[in-house]
Amino acid sequence: MWTLSGFADEISPDLDGQCRVLDELGVRYLEFRSAWQTNVLDLDDAQLDRVGKTLAEHGLRVSSIGSPIGKIGVADDFEEHLRRFDRALAVAALLEAPYVRLFSFFLPAGDDPASHRDEVLRRMAALADRAAGHSAEHGVILLHENEKGIYGDSPARCLDIVESVGSPRLRLAWDAANFVQCGFRPHTDGYAMLRPHLEYVQIKDAVLATGEVVPAGRGDGEVRETLRALRADGFTGFFSLEPHLAAAGPFGGFSGPELFGVAHAAFTDLLVEEGIEYR
């Protein structure tokens, strides 16, 4: 049984609006990134209390904290970023999220990624160590997402990060569209090497020739091939809708209620066609 989730702030900046659409679609989880046009890590305790109560009223749970951790330059102040990461861990515990999404730092344009490898690995290891020591009661797992322009934007460098850090607290989130926009065919170029470390799947697709983001199965993200392989491998976990069908940027995207529904239908149609059960 596979479990659907989604970046509900792509529906609306208003949390009640997010929840209403998820209710209509029958989605019982969300990947919490923002509400009321405020990033999850910048919500104060009173706002987070309101979030928790609103989600409980709708019977919704949080699959992951969609944090911006690691979306700073590789030479930017890391000590201050670690304090922000502490907030991410605290929010994950408060909202009972099993995962926190993060990234492996933007590189200066034109630089050889290899020249920044040691610093990236130092930072990623520090984040994993911080998560391991944060709380014995809430064993959160960190999910590295392959974003454009960061060290881990290729399958090979994603593998390098997770194997070199070697922490059970650091796993991989798979984003097919981001791989496509970096010039890769995700399943062909990356699935076999990354599957042992793959924990979570972001659902969006893209066209290789143009980079345009499209609903799942309508681009070059090899979504159907990946679904078949995951089923054959016995994968169980979250599939998080991140459509980006109306707008996209380095820190998020937007679709609106109608296009979010289009993205949901495109993905669930694929699951039905493949005979894959989901909830």
Side-chain angles (χ1 to χ4, degrees), residues 188-208:
T188 300
D189 298 336
Y191 183 83
M193 72 170 75
L194 299 182
R195 176 62 184 96
H197 309 286
L198 198 160
E199 183 88 10
Y200 196 98
V201 182
Q202 310 285 25
I203 299 299
K204 67 178 186 283
D205 203 346
V207 177
L208 188 60

Side-chain angles (χ1 to χ4, degrees), residues 260-278:
F260 194 90
V262 168
H264 177 271
F267 182 60
T268 56
D269 284 351
L270 283 175
L271 297 180
V272 171
E273 290 169 12
E274 294 297 323
I276 297 170
E277 293 185 358
Y278 67 92

Side-chain angles (χ1 to χ4, degrees), residues 118-278:
D118 288 349
E119 177 61 13
V120 167
L121 294 181
R122 182 186 76 82
R123 292 180 174 210
M124 297 303 292
L127 293 169
D129 288 345
R130 198 91 156 200
H134 177 70
S135 171
E137 296 179 359
H138 186 70
V140 70
I141 301 295
L142 308 180
L143 298 170
H144 174 271
E145 180 181 328
N146 53 291
E147 176 62 276
K148 302 176 292 296
I150 63 173
Y151 179 81
D153 64 357
S154 72
R157 286 192 291 276
C158 287
L159 183 66
D160 180 30
I161 291 168
V162 72
E163 288 194 339
S164 296
V165 172
S167 169
R169 293 298 184 117
L170 180 62
R171 301 280 286 167
L172 297 179
W174 174 276
D175 189 310
N178 287 346
F179 277 141
V180 169
Q181 291 173 333
C182 292
F184 299 99
R185 294 193 176 275
H187 186 267
T188 300
D189 298 336
Y191 183 83
M193 72 170 75
L194 299 182
R195 176 62 184 96
H197 309 286
L198 198 160
E199 183 88 10
Y200 196 98
V201 182
Q202 310 285 25
I203 299 299
K204 67 178 186 283
D205 203 346
V207 177
L208 188 60
T210 63
E212 177 190 4
V213 178
V214 294
R218 302 180 190 175
D220 296 301
E222 301 182 318
V223 175
R224 190 183 296 272
E225 294 91 331
T226 304
L227 295 180
R228 289 173 176 172
L230 287 168
R231 178 178 58 185
D233 288 346
F235 180 85
T236 58
F238 289 106
F239 292 79
S240 183
L241 296 165
E242 190 184 13
H244 284 20
L245 294 180
F251 293 97
F254 188 74
S255 298
E258 182 176 349
L259 289 176
F260 194 90
V262 168
H264 177 271
F267 182 60
T268 56
D269 284 351
L270 283 175
L271 297 180
V272 171
E273 290 169 12
E274 294 297 323
I276 297 170
E277 293 185 358
Y278 67 92

Side-chain angles (χ1 to χ4, degrees), residues 55-69:
L55 297 182
E57 288 169 2
H58 288 268
L60 288 164
R61 300 181 67 183
V62 178
S63 62
S64 178
I65 301 300
S67 88
I69 295 299

